[in-house]
Amino acid sequence: PWENREEEQEGKKSSRRIKGIVCDVKNCVHHDRENDCTAGKIAVGPSFATSCADTVCASFKPKEF
């Protein structure tokens, strides 16, 4: 499910993105400028969720500004 990208971003090569995963959380370290997720993997939970509103991305890490 990975697609390699070799784009320059602020002087660094961008990471791989998870194909098909869209992320709107711009303050996450795994978010890129094209709303893609560059985490090595994602974890969504909790296991007892009964609706979309009950779920969270456990892979979220805030960017340091």
Side-chain angles (χ1 to χ4, degrees):
W2 288 93
E3 178 178 306
N4 290 321
R5 283 197 311 208
E6 297 290 330
E7 295 178 5
E8 292 291 324
Q9 279 185 323
E10 298 176 21
K12 302 177 195 172
K13 288 189 177 182
S14 71
S15 302
R16 296 180 285 180
R17 69 179 174 104
I18 303 174
K19 188 175 181 179
I21 301 296
V22 176
C23 177
D24 293 324
V25 184
K26 296 183 184 341
N27 66 326
C28 179
V29 297
H30 304 298
H31 178 271
D32 79 0
R33 293 180 183 177
E34 297 177 21
N35 288 348
D36 292 320
C37 180
T38 61
K41 63 181 180 178
I42 60 169
V44 179
S47 60
F48 57 82
T50 58
S51 72
C52 183
D54 294 337
T55 62
V56 296
C57 177
S59 303
F60 170 79
K61 290 182 185 174
K63 286 183 183 176
E64 294 181 23
F65 294 98

